[in-house]
Amino acid sequence: SSGINAEYGISRTEQTFPRFQSLTSLVRPPALLEESKDMFDLLPEEYLPDYKSFCWFDARSKLQCLPSVYLAGMPKCGSTDLYDKIVWHPEITQPTHWALLKKKVPSEKEFPYWARMRLGRQRSYFNKHIGPKMRFSTFLAGTGAEKLHSNKELRIIDGAPCLFFDIEGWEERYPGYEDPPYTNADLIHTVTPDAKVVVIFRNPTERLLSNYVFHHKNNNAKDITPQTFHSEVQKEIENFHICLKSRPLRHCCFSDKHSQKLRIAVGIYICFATDWAQLFKENFLAITLKEYYSDTVGTMLKVYNHIGLHEPDVADLTEFIDKSRTKNSNTANKEVFGQMLEKTRELLNNFYEPYNIDLADYLGDSKFLFK
């Protein structure tokens, strides 16, 4: 693991900001504070100790709160279903961002403030519209702090799966940098250093196909076939290897110029996991979709314990899981698409295998080999 630490070490210019020493003893990159000045101007010197979310009273004596639980990733790895099981617990509460914006969405799970709206940047490769920057005060209005007036034990959850990896646009904002001056892990740890982070991983080969089919379901889905997928895979692997000839792995993972339409680098989990694991340490938990599906009850008990929730009645939890339908399943779309070609599967397995080995080594568990 020490070798992996060295290989994926974080290189950045750092500077001490005494104002936040009460929140964290770590030094922070200047870019982080420069890009979110409106946020740091409103944050307190310390949070109220008797709340399970990160709360404080602002200058108008209004209660403000930030999440203390982050389901940080990954997309197309079962995060929506896992989120549904986490928010079932009575000590978890959801934010109300989309409701306040009067947007009709399936759930409050995915509100990408930290990764996207904070900077006013595009939402995804398939949605090039760049929205206006959302001010931190607007974000605070939707965190659900009002629900904590009567129950300090509630923990607010943030479930945006792009948080784990998405710092897109850093190359334009910081030309000449070899890697991002900070990551979302730095951001969240600076603001809420004692937060609990959960991430769910899936075999990256399967994740990539699911992501491809899902994002094309409303974008000429009839035009995609196993062969078009194979061609895209070949193209992106070639581009990624070209990047590696002149740049370190960390740059190629975080760059959006070498992993575009498929976002093939999203499946190189080791690139992103090191930041989160190094910063959050025992507050970071990684699970796999395979273990979640094979023992949902046992996995949920592990997740609840990690977050710091009281253990629920196992019979009640089992009944809820048995009755609940898998959320955000991509099965119907994949049935229309058909099976991945074996040559594609072999190509992707060979591409991801060394990174899976690094992940299993770094996290100390062979389940991340995805065998």
Side-chain angles (χ1 to χ4, degrees), residues 185-203:
D186 290 302
L187 172 66
I188 298 302
H189 191 264
T190 299
V191 176
T192 52
D194 296 319
K196 298 299 177 73
V197 178
V198 179
V199 62
I200 183 168
F201 294 132
R202 176 186 191 178
N203 182 315

Side-chain angles (χ1 to χ4, degrees), residues 60-297:
R60 298 168 299 161
S61 298
K62 181 180 180 181
L63 183 67
Q64 305 285 5
C65 295
L66 289 174
S68 57
V69 181
Y70 291 88
L71 178 54
M74 295 288 281
K76 309 318 300 174
C77 289
S79 63
T80 299
D81 198 63
L82 176 58
Y83 179 89
D84 183 57
K85 305 301 185 290
I86 294 175
V87 299
W88 170 82
H89 197 288
E91 293 168 21
I92 292 288
T93 186
Q94 300 184 69
T96 58
H97 301 294
W98 290 119
L100 285 176
L101 293 174
K102 296 182 168 51
K103 300 280 187 181
K104 291 185 177 180
V105 295
S107 84
E108 287 282 351
K109 171 178 174 270
E110 298 189 28
F111 191 80
Y113 169 76
W114 301 106
R116 296 169 183 168
M117 293 177 174
R118 177 181 60 91
L119 299 172
R121 45 157 289 226
Q122 66 193 49
R123 292 186 58 192
S124 72
Y125 174 84
F126 294 97
N127 182 359
K128 291 298 185 183
H129 172 68
I130 299 178
K133 174 177 176 175
M134 174 174 281
R135 293 193 62 79
F136 186 59
S137 55
T138 305
F139 172 73
L140 283 177
T143 60
E146 66 279 358
K147 292 182 278 188
L148 277 66
H149 277 292
S150 58
N151 188 352
K152 297 178 180 180
E153 298 295 309
L154 289 176
R155 299 173 191 262
I156 301 170
I157 185 171
D158 183 299
C162 62
L163 185 63
F164 201 74
F165 66 92
D166 190 355
I167 191 76
E168 187 178 308
W170 64 271
E171 290 164 287
E172 287 74 27
R173 300 198 306 278
Y174 299 97
Y177 276 57
E178 190 65 25
D179 59 352
Y182 69 91
T183 68
N184 293 331
D186 290 302
L187 172 66
I188 298 302
H189 191 264
T190 299
V191 176
T192 52
D194 296 319
K196 298 299 177 73
V197 178
V198 179
V199 62
I200 183 168
F201 294 132
R202 176 186 191 178
N203 182 315
T205 295
E206 300 298 335
R207 193 214 72 81
L208 191 71
L209 175 62
S210 183
N211 188 81
Y212 180 73
V213 173
F214 179 81
H215 281 296
H216 281 85
K217 67 178 182 179
N218 296 320
N219 294 274
N220 300 318
K222 63 182 183 299
D223 297 333
I224 65 169
T225 65
Q227 188 56 53
T228 61
F229 179 62
H230 182 77
S231 298
E232 294 288 354
V233 166
Q234 284 181 308
K235 207 177 304 177
E236 289 220 358
I237 289 179
E238 182 182 353
N239 287 341
F240 198 81
H241 284 150
I242 290 172
C243 179
L244 289 176
K245 287 180 180 178
S246 59
R247 301 294 187 106
L249 175 63
R250 185 174 174 82
H251 172 92
C252 299
C253 285
F254 280 102
S255 173
D256 62 337
K257 300 187 186 311
H258 315 287
S259 175
Q260 298 158 339
K261 198 169 183 179
L262 293 183
R263 297 194 302 180
I264 202 166
V266 173
I268 305 178
Y269 306 134
I270 184 64
C271 280
F272 317 107
T274 50
D275 292 89
W276 293 90
Q278 285 172 2
L279 287 169
F280 287 91
K281 298 180 172 59
E282 68 276 0
N283 286 341
F284 173 76
L285 175 67
I287 63 174
T288 67
L289 182 63
K290 183 178 180 180
E291 69 176 305
Y292 175 70
Y293 277 160
S294 63
D295 181 14
T296 307
V297 172

Side-chain angles (χ1 to χ4, degrees), residues 271-329:
C271 280
F272 317 107
T274 50
D275 292 89
W276 293 90
Q278 285 172 2
L279 287 169
F280 287 91
K281 298 180 172 59
E282 68 276 0
N283 286 341
F284 173 76
L285 175 67
I287 63 174
T288 67
L289 182 63
K290 183 178 180 180
E291 69 176 305
Y292 175 70
Y293 277 160
S294 63
D295 181 14
T296 307
V297 172
T299 303
M300 289 314 305
L301 291 175
K302 179 165 69 173
V303 170
Y304 295 147
N305 180 66
H306 171 73
I307 294 172
L309 307 174
H310 289 102
E311 184 171 308
D313 183 89
V314 175
D316 290 343
L317 174 61
T318 303
E319 182 181 10
F320 170 71
I321 290 171
D322 289 344
K323 288 183 177 179
S324 63
R325 183 175 59 86
T326 300
K327 297 292 188 296
N328 203 26
S329 173

